């Protein structure tokens, strides 16, 4: 079946540094990918919709200059957390949509900012 | 490789019917199983299950986990058109990784 991978699975960084998270659709092309952040009590917050070849669409309240999203190809979207701070520590999950409108989630990336 | 399988893939029922959605899993180091309702883009958390045989209930929705047989069901009674959504099941494992199923698309016909 279709698989979505994320890299890295876990990252620890110092406050003020930038961290890039990759989301790849391994065996299908995805014109649309979504980035989520998981909050306590397992709620998922949609951060942005990543569209191949165009600018990402950010949800209200998400700083686009802080969370840079690039969807350079039909199989890769990246989320860069710039100047990370401890409050950015979270679990970031991506998902990709197939042409048949089925959504596949990545395994998530645990970011810890010290 | 951790795997979560949901069935059916889609379901169309009439308002007032009761539905049962299934989620089976094969994972190492199970921690919890979660159910979400996804209407537009962001999934809304419904339940988290960690123990076998204990039913969690919220209004017309209920869910139970069987850790021996490695599955969970989500029941919705007296369905309403507002229940139409994709219902996602996810399993959290020991390293905090979440593995999602592809969801069941539920459509309620008035």
């Amino acid at each position: 079946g279709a698989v979505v991978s994320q890299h890295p699975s876990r990252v620890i960084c110092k406050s003020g540094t930038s961290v890039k998270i990759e989301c790849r659709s391994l065996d299908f092309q995805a014109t649309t990918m979504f980035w989520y952040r998981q909050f306590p009590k397992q709620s998922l917050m949609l951060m942005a919709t990543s569209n191949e070849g165009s600018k990402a669409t950010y949800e209200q309240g998400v700083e686009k200059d802080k969370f840079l999203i690039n969807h350079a190809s039909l199989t890769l979207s990246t989320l860069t957390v710039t100047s990370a701070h401890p409050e950015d520590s979270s679990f970031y999950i991506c998902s990709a949509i197939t042409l048949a409108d089925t959504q596949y989630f990545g395994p998530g990336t645990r970011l810890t900012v010290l | 490789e951790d795997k979560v399988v949901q069935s059916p893939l889609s379901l169309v029922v009439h308002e007032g019917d009761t539905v049962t959605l299934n989620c089976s899993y094969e994972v190492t180091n199970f921690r919890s199983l979660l159910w979400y309702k996804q209407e537009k883009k962001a999934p809304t958390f419904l339940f988290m299950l960690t123990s076998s045989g204990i039913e969690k209930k919220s209004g017309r929705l209920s869910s139970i986990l069987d850790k021996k047989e490695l599955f969970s069901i989500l029941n919705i009674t007296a369905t309403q058109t507002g229940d139409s959504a994709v219902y996602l099941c996810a399993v959290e494992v020991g390293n905090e990784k979440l593995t999602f199923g592809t969801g069941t698309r539920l459509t309620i016909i008035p």
Side-chain angles (χ1 to χ4, degrees), chain A residues 1-85:
Chain A
V3 176
V4 173
S5 71
Q6 283 185 237
H7 177 80
S9 58
R10 178 169 283 215
V11 56
I12 300 172
C13 68
K14 290 184 178 179
S15 188
T17 60
S18 293
V19 173
K20 181 187 281 189
I21 303 170
E22 292 184 349
C23 175
R24 290 182 188 272
S25 55
L26 297 184
D27 53 3
F28 66 98
Q29 294 183 331
T31 54
T32 302
M33 291 184 174
F34 298 106
W35 285 97
Y36 300 89
R37 181 172 172 177
Q38 185 182 25
F39 283 92
K41 297 187 179 180
Q42 293 74 40
S43 63
L44 289 178
M45 181 194 83
L46 177 65
M47 298 175 68
T49 303
S50 172
N51 301 298
E52 187 267 337
S54 65
K55 289 184 181 179
T57 304
Y58 289 82
E59 296 299 304
Q60 194 170 9
V62 178
E63 297 175 61
K64 61 181 181 182
D65 294 330
K66 179 164 181 66
F67 298 100
L68 300 177
I69 291 172
N70 184 282
H71 196 148
S73 76
L74 287 171
T75 60
L76 173 65
S77 175
T78 60
L79 167 67
T80 302
V81 183
T82 62
S83 186
H85 288 98

